[in-house]
């Protein structure tokens, strides 16, 4: 199994598009099986004044750019001892430079999923999973079928999927039904009292899940499970957010490309590859720039280990650039279609899952939480975030909100009915941030 969310609510800009970097969690089991999982209980985030000052200097130096663009490091750092690795160490070493790392199994040894979901032999405990979740309907993808750059999904009771899984193993890791992969199961949302994981302190500023938890509608905490051979096509995580992922049992192989390198992997039509291990990438007629891409950074993730995936790694996803693509697609109707810009927003939401209006409301929810902490000068808030972390997040929100307000397409959005106008929120944020950094 594996668990992994994305950490730290940071925001940057690239190529004129707003890029949200947030945190998400996923849990994964693999061996002959792989499962992704999430964490519910927040823990304190210890950002000190020195780290806050470092982070502010770092983002001022970027000038609105995105960290970590370029070549992959020669190797992935391995963090072995929880007691010797602080939140400040994580911010300095990996979050700000936008670099991946692997945390040892010592960081997850107390998790309920590692105690109850795994047999003494280190394999998925099918009996426990059946007793606990057997009747739950779960989403299952067919790894052998390509549907655009993803896999088609169906839904089935977990007991039916486990029956398939056992038959797949008995059939020599083969089945007439293909290789099925349980993906994006919102177990922690549907069973909030389950002791599945404990949220690592490094990922406690989690804007996406804070937003969805506030609405009590959805989340980005997932469980993945499947036999050896199941896989996920080449992709970048939603909204270019950070993520973290833990293997509850089994092993997992990661191929990572730093931001920007995915451009060399595009085919002559401009499409990203579905499978970066495909021999088709060697076809210079189909992929004319593939030789310019460096080799992927490879990680073999063992049971209990936690992988931190920085923003923009894997293939790039620029959500507000999606609007540019939509506008180009429907440009021929610009003059004849009434309210053309509104229709572009509708199409963008259907493609990306969010539009400008929803993005503003997302920022507003997180901003109001951080403003509450700063105004009360509290040591911690309900999400377990300290004053310095709140000041850091507020600074990042201020930058992206200012960019959003200045965007010509956002200026066409009718904000008259908003409970708090964007410019009013921006002013409140600027005042709070100035007060937080004042000596």
């Amino acid at each position: 199994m594996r668990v992994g969310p994305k950490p730290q609510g940071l925001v940057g800009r690239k190529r004129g598009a707003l890029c949200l970097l947030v945190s998400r969690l996923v849990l994964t089991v693999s061996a002959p099986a792989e499962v992704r999982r999430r964490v519910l209980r927040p823990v304190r985030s210890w950002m000190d004044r020195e780290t806050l000052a470092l982070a502010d200097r770092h983002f001022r130096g970027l000038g609105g750019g995105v960290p970590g663009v370029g070549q992959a490091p020669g190797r992935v750092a391995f963090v072995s001892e929880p007691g010797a690795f602080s939140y400040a160490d994580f911010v300095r070493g990996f979050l700000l430079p936008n670099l991946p790392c692997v945390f040892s199994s010592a960081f997850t040894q107390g998790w309920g999923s590692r105690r109850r979901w795994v047999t003494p032999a280190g394999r998925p405990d099918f009996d426990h999973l059946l007793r606990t979740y057997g009747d739950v309907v779960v989403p299952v993808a067919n790894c052998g079928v390509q549907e655009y750059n993803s896999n088609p999904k169906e839904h089935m009771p977990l007991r039916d999927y486990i029956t398939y899984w056992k038959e797949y193993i008995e059939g020599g890791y083969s089945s007439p039904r293909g290789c099925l992969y349980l993906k994006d199961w919102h177990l922690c949302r549907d069973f909030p009292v389950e002791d599945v994981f404990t949220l690592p302190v490094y990922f406690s500023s989690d804007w996406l899940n804070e937003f969805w938890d506030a609405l009590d509608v959805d989340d980005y905490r997932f469980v993945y499970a499947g036999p050896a051979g199941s896989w996920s096509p080449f992709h970048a995580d939603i909204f270019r957010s950070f993520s973290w992922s833990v293997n509850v049992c089994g092993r997992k192989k990661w191929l990572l490309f730093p931001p920007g390198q995915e451009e060399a992997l595009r085919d002559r039509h401009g499409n990203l590859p579905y499978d970066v291990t495909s021999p088709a990438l060697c076809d210079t007629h189909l992929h004319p720039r593939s030789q310019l891409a460096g080799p992927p950074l490879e990680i073999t993730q063992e049971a209990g280990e936690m992988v931190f995936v920085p923003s923009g790694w894997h293939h790039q996803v620029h959500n507000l650039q999606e609007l540019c693509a939509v506008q180009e697609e429907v440009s021929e109707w610009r003059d004849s279609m009434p309210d053309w810009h509104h229709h572009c927003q509708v199409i963008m939401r259907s493609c990306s899952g969010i539009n400008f209006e929803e993005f503003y409301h997302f920022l507003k929810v997180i901003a109001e939480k951080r403003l509450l902490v700063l105004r009360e000068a509290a040591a911690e808030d309900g999400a377990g975030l300290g004053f310095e972390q709140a000041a850091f997040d507020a600074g990042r929100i201020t930058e992206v909100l200012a960019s959003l307000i200045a965007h010509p397409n956002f200026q066409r959005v009718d904000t008259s009915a908003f409970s708090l106008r964007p410019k009013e929120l921006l002013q409140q944020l600027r005042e709070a941030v100035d007060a937080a950094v004042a000596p």
Side-chain angles (χ1 to χ4, degrees), residues 374-385:
L374 296 178
R375 286 168 179 162
E376 296 179 351
E380 61 182 4
D381 68 0
L385 301 176

Side-chain angles (χ1 to χ4, degrees), residues 329-341 343-344:
E329 289 286 336
V330 299
S331 59
E332 62 182 287
W333 296 288
R334 179 171 188 147
D335 296 330
S336 60
M337 181 187 291
D339 205 3
W340 181 80
H341 288 286
H343 286 291
C344 287

Side-chain angles (χ1 to χ4, degrees), residues 274-295:
Y274 172 74
D275 177 6
V276 294
T277 68
S278 170
L281 265 73
C282 298
D283 184 343
T284 55
H285 176 69
L286 182 60
H287 294 272
R289 302 179 59 213
S290 60
Q291 294 180 340
L292 300 178

Side-chain angles (χ1 to χ4, degrees), residues 53-67 96 396 399:
L54 172 69
D56 283 339
R57 289 196 301 272
H58 174 84
F59 281 96
R60 283 198 299 271
L62 286 176
V66 175
L96 296 183
R396 306 286 72 74
E399 292 180 7

Side-chain angles (χ1 to χ4, degrees), residues 112-231:
S113 54
R114 290 196 60 197
R115 295 194 308 270
R116 292 190 291 271
W117 291 15
V118 186
T119 68
R123 300 176 68 84
D125 190 335
F126 290 135
D127 291 337
H128 173 80
L129 294 172
L130 284 170
R131 286 193 307 270
T132 310
Y133 311 112
D135 294 327
V136 177
V137 176
V138 297
V140 176
N142 190 331
C143 295
V145 179
Q146 180 177 350
E147 192 172 81
Y148 300 101
N149 257 31
S150 188
N151 308 120
K153 282 185 180 178
E154 59 179 305
H155 288 78
M156 64 177 68
L158 180 63
R159 65 176 67 259
D160 291 351
Y161 180 72
I162 289 180
T163 298
Y164 154 81
W165 192 344
K166 291 178 178 179
E167 292 172 350
Y168 185 87
I169 295 173
E170 293 168 0
Y173 293 91
S174 179
S175 168
R177 301 177 63 185
C179 184
L180 303 183
Y181 190 14
L182 190 162
K183 299 181 70 173
D184 301 328
W185 177 19
H186 291 265
L187 182 146
C188 292
R189 179 192 66 193
D190 301 331
F191 296 88
V193 297
E194 289 292 308
D195 176 24
V196 173
F197 68 88
T198 301
L199 179 62
V201 64
Y202 316 105
F203 313 128
S204 51
S205 180
D206 182 346
W207 294 10
L208 274 181
N209 283 314
E210 273 192 65
F211 174 70
W212 285 117
D213 290 346
L215 299 184
D216 196 22
V217 172
D218 203 352
D219 67 0
Y220 285 103
R221 306 180 183 105
F222 305 107
V223 171
Y224 288 57
S230 56
W231 63 293

Side-chain angles (χ1 to χ4, degrees), residues 180-388:
L180 303 183
Y181 190 14
L182 190 162
K183 299 181 70 173
D184 301 328
W185 177 19
H186 291 265
L187 182 146
C188 292
R189 179 192 66 193
D190 301 331
F191 296 88
V193 297
E194 289 292 308
D195 176 24
V196 173
F197 68 88
T198 301
L199 179 62
V201 64
Y202 316 105
F203 313 128
S204 51
S205 180
D206 182 346
W207 294 10
L208 274 181
N209 283 314
E210 273 192 65
F211 174 70
W212 285 117
D213 290 346
L215 299 184
D216 196 22
V217 172
D218 203 352
D219 67 0
Y220 285 103
R221 306 180 183 105
F222 305 107
V223 171
Y224 288 57
S230 56
W231 63 293
S232 295
F234 189 59
H235 71 287
D237 289 317
I238 187 169
F239 306 145
R240 294 189 62 254
S241 56
F242 298 107
S243 68
W244 56 276
S245 179
V246 172
N247 264 355
V248 175
C249 69
R251 309 175 78 203
K252 187 174 182 66
K253 181 179 178 180
W254 294 71
L255 301 173
L256 299 98
F257 289 83
Q261 284 215 3
E262 77 288 342
E263 294 298 328
L265 300 177
R266 292 185 182 275
D267 64 20
R268 58 192 178 95
H269 304 293
N271 300 314
L272 288 168
Y274 172 74
D275 177 6
V276 294
T277 68
S278 170
L281 265 73
C282 298
D283 184 343
T284 55
H285 176 69
L286 182 60
H287 294 272
R289 302 179 59 213
S290 60
Q291 294 180 340
L292 300 178
L297 194 59
E298 187 168 322
I299 298 174
T300 300
Q301 184 184 16
E302 303 291 344
E305 291 181 349
M306 178 167 59
V307 171
F308 166 62
V309 183
S311 167
W313 286 66
H314 298 192
H315 70 77
Q316 283 296 95
V317 174
H318 300 286
N319 290 297
L320 298 188
Q321 282 189 345
E322 181 68 37
L323 178 61
C324 300
V326 169
Q327 290 175 339
E328 183 176 349
E329 289 286 336
V330 299
S331 59
E332 62 182 287
W333 296 288
R334 179 171 188 147
D335 296 330
S336 60
M337 181 187 291
D339 205 3
W340 181 80
H341 288 286
H342 170 73
H343 286 291
C344 287
Q345 292 288 323
V346 172
I347 297 171
M348 181 175 71
R349 188 189 188 286
S350 69
C351 294
S352 301
I354 197 169
N355 59 22
F356 275 119
E357 179 177 345
E358 292 171 326
F359 184 61
Y360 169 72
H361 287 298
F362 164 73
L363 291 177
K364 177 175 173 288
V365 168
I366 306 304
E368 289 177 339
K369 287 175 171 286
R370 300 305 184 266
L371 286 171
L372 181 63
V373 177
L374 296 178
R375 286 168 179 162
E376 296 179 351
E380 61 182 4
D381 68 0
L385 301 176
F387 180 86
E388 285 76 17

Side-chain angles (χ1 to χ4, degrees), residues 70-83:
Q71 298 296 314
R75 54 184 290 274
V76 178
F78 186 80
V79 183
S80 57
E81 294 296 330

